[in-house]
Amino acid sequence: MTEQRLVRLSTEHPTSTIYVLDTEISLDVCGSAPAEATGFDVWGTSGVNLYIVHNGEVLKIPSCVPRWPLDSRVEVIVTMDTPSTEVNEDKVRISYYKGNEKTPMAKAILHLTCVEISLDADINRTGSVTRRGKNKNKWTWGPNGKGAILLVNCDKDNQMAKDMDNKDQSLKSFADLKDMSLMILTTRGPNEIFDELQLCLHISASDNDKVGVFHAQCSKMLSKYKHILGSGKLWHEVNRCSGQDAHLFYVEGLAFPDVGFAGLVSFHATLLEATTEELPCVPIFNDTVVFRIAPWIMTPNTLQPMTVYVCSSQNNMDFVADVKKLSEKAGCKVVICSAEEYENDVWFQDEMEFGYVQAPHKTFPVVFDSPRNGGLNAFPFKSVLGPDFGYVTREPVPRTFSSLDSFGNLEVSPPVTVRGREYPLGRILIGSYFPRVQGNEMVKVVQDFLYAQEVQSPIELYSDWLVVGHVDEFLSFVPASDRKGFRLLLASPSACFKLLKEKEKEGYGDAVIFEGLSGKTETTIKKILADKSFRNTNEYFQKCIDWNRNVLKEELGLTEEDIIDIPEFFEMDSEGKAQAYFPDMVNMIVLGKYLGIPKPFGPVIHEHCALEEEVRRLLEPLGLSCTFIDDMETYHRHQGEVHCGTNARRKPFTFKWWNMTP
């Protein structure tokens, strides 16, 4: 709907006003009419378009102007098409008549100066500002949606800076401008008219800590980019230099969507007109642009890996070498940090999760630092944050944590369609306690953050049955060229019992598990199958996994054909919770078709581990390559595996998040 403004007229003296391009002026014809007037006619100069609204119909005034009845149901609308070159360049005349008299009894004159005031951004999501766009004050989702997008400027383009780029109010690098969204304020019209007007750019108090704005001062000096809005600044008067048609503003996000903040922010350009010297100016026009701050998006195993992270200590040199070799085979860069520098904390997966932010003009990765705060606590901020690499974290107050706050308990599915509803960026998976029993769960500030991003609608699973309590202990996703493009892998005691029964029937009941491993009690297939207590325990843990299996099938739209059961046994600790009996093979690192799987040390039959052979049988037909990595001493004995000790940054989705409907 076109913005409309009422202008009151006078028969005693001419009235002057400003017309803003792409708006309408409604003339108060009745309010200025003499008491005995019964009709009126309208005339305007060539730069003016005149319309009469009569009985609900819009009629353009013909050149031979008829006389109109003076009736409140008759409305005169004025528009103009081009900014004026001079003040009061055009005019409209209203002539009032009594009865059928030919001579007007009074006249009201309106002088008009047309200006263009337009606050514009990339509302069409093309990467360029849309000039004089429509419906800028609304934001809609979907492939036909409209609305500008803003990135949280959470990287650090200047390596000398102490914090993220959006933590200060000065521009430290011209590269930083590329992380911001351009907003242009156009002001066209006679120079003299702007001396009489006040033009303000402003935000609401609620957006004060969500956005920052820099005004480009037509200079190549960083110091000339003035911080004008945000962080306590709500209002800025735009001073127009003679002949200056465009003002450039660079907008940065300060905060991600979260509780109480849906991610929408508004910018307003308001034109104010002076009345008298004693009274304040009054607004005569407002233009509003709405931005949505881009969400943080996680990347699933099925996306192409780019960089693998692993921590090196004196005890895991062989493990690191194996991970490095596998990563290089997959074409990944490898980042190896020293465990000594980080208090021998080697649990990279638990410390951080990689994702990204995206706008039409820019995409960059963002690391989400978990609140676990182990020895690696400083690594994401110290060694990952940098140019075009952002950082975000959430810390609970008071600082109380459980193992479920580590990001081994945070995964995301590949894209899925569930009962006709599409999730083109997948769905986040977090572990919690069983619905009917109070237990541990991920801290609320992290959960709130994940839900607020909207585009990867989280699913809560039951993981508190595990000692560590992480979802990556019983599930993983691997790519596949058929069906949905992936398979869900679930740890399965039932599948493990089935496999061992088959081997016993084949005559291999005496095959040894953990053969030759120090610190592990050797046993045989026959002994495991005969251990009723062990069987009962694993049947209970299988029911815990099956609960999650049903949730995943329902929430991800999966069938049994989409799921592969990976043999695994669990043993119970003193508190009745589960830990992997042998290295947990679902806790793998997925690098394209290359899988780094914990070496299980299962029963050796014909010089091959039966567990490894079974996993190869299940996964290699999908085009996957299985590499078994020995993590027994370095990770398994400390209740973790390959996935826990590594991390991977992946390419973003090709799908643009704004094209979906949450």
Side-chain angles (χ1 to χ4, degrees), residues 145-159:
K146 301 287 183 182
I149 293 167
L150 190 60
L151 297 175
V152 176
N153 191 13
C154 57
D155 67 339
K156 188 172 72 170
D157 288 311
N158 186 338
Q159 296 282 40

Side-chain angles (χ1 to χ4, degrees), residues 142-376:
N144 298 316
K146 301 287 183 182
I149 293 167
L150 190 60
L151 297 175
V152 176
N153 191 13
C154 57
D155 67 339
K156 188 172 72 170
D157 288 311
N158 186 338
Q159 296 282 40
M160 302 302 293
K162 294 182 179 180
D163 212 330
M164 295 175 285
D165 290 339
N166 60 4
K167 293 298 184 181
D168 56 43
Q169 298 176 27
S170 61
L171 196 66
K172 298 291 196 301
S173 165
F174 280 112
D176 196 22
L177 294 176
K178 296 179 181 180
D179 300 333
M180 303 185 194
S181 294
L182 180 62
M183 187 167 63
I184 300 176
L185 177 60
T186 301
T187 58
R188 295 174 60 208
N191 292 324
E192 299 84 358
I193 199 70
F194 285 100
D195 294 336
E196 304 171 9
L197 301 170
Q198 189 177 38
L199 183 59
C200 299
L201 189 67
H202 54 103
I203 58 175
S204 67
S206 62
D207 289 343
N208 171 57
D209 59 346
K210 310 296 190 305
V211 295
V213 179
F214 290 87
H215 187 187
Q217 303 286 319
C218 303
S219 172
K220 294 183 179 180
M221 296 175 60
L222 286 172
S223 60
K224 294 297 182 180
Y225 284 77
K226 183 181 179 183
H227 184 270
I228 61 165
L229 291 178
S231 301
K233 303 170 186 176
L234 302 180
W235 177 91
H236 174 72
E237 182 174 355
V238 180
N239 296 314
R240 182 181 186 271
C241 300
S242 178
Q244 184 181 5
D245 289 347
H247 302 261
L248 305 184
F249 300 94
Y250 289 89
V251 188
E252 64 177 352
L254 304 183
F256 281 96
D258 214 323
V259 172
F261 175 48
L264 295 174
V265 292
S266 300
F267 297 87
H268 311 277
T270 299
L271 188 66
L272 300 102
E273 187 177 46
T275 52
T276 66
E277 292 183 0
E278 295 79 17
L279 297 174
C281 296
V282 294
I284 60 173
F285 172 76
N286 174 265
D287 203 12
T288 297
V289 173
V290 173
F291 286 79
R292 180 177 286 276
I293 292 183
W296 179 78
I297 301 171
M298 280 184 67
T299 51
N301 283 353
T302 48
L303 290 177
Q304 181 180 338
M306 300 176 67
T307 307
V308 172
Y309 293 79
V310 64
C311 209
S312 175
S313 69
Q314 292 182 347
N315 300 323
N316 74 343
M317 295 180 65
D318 290 341
F319 175 87
V320 171
D322 288 341
V323 169
K324 185 173 185 293
K325 183 178 179 180
L326 182 71
S327 302
E328 291 172 346
K329 186 185 294 186
C332 299
K333 175 184 175 183
V334 182
V335 174
I336 302 173
C337 77
S338 170
E340 293 181 0
E341 185 179 355
Y342 295 99
E343 302 176 15
N344 289 315
D345 184 358
V346 295
W347 306 104
F348 249 126
Q349 187 64 45
D350 290 341
E351 182 57 44
M352 60 190 187
E353 187 66 60
F354 288 107
Y356 66 95
V357 293
Q358 184 174 54
H361 70 282
K362 183 73 179 284
T363 301
F364 62 81
V366 175
V367 61
F368 188 6
D369 189 1
S370 82
R372 75 183 275 265
N373 293 345
L376 280 167

Side-chain angles (χ1 to χ4, degrees), residues 89 132 145 165 174 204 223 374 390 426 436 503 522 541 562:
E89 188 173 67
R132 291 173 63 182
D165 290 339
F174 280 112
S204 67
S223 60
R436 291 179 295 178
K503 297 306 175 186
E522 291 185 358
F541 293 138
D562 301 313

Side-chain angles (χ1 to χ4, degrees), residues 421-442:
R421 181 176 177 180
E422 294 183 354
Y423 297 91
L425 303 174
R427 299 190 67 180
I428 284 174
L429 309 175
I430 54 178
S432 187
Y433 56 85
F434 191 70
R436 291 179 295 178
V437 181
Q438 183 67 39
N440 290 323
E441 63 178 339
M442 186 176 286

Side-chain angles (χ1 to χ4, degrees), residues 370-392:
S370 82
R372 75 183 275 265
N373 293 345
L376 280 167
N377 181 47
F379 183 84
F381 190 87
K382 176 182 175 182
S383 300
V384 179
L385 171 65
D388 287 340
F389 211 129
Y391 172 92
V392 65

Side-chain angles (χ1 to χ4, degrees), residues 512-515 582 599-605 608-612:
V512 178
I513 300 173
F514 304 136
E515 186 173 8
F582 54 78
K599 185 175 180 62
F601 295 97
V604 176
I605 300 173
H608 295 286
C609 171
L611 293 173
E612 291 184 21

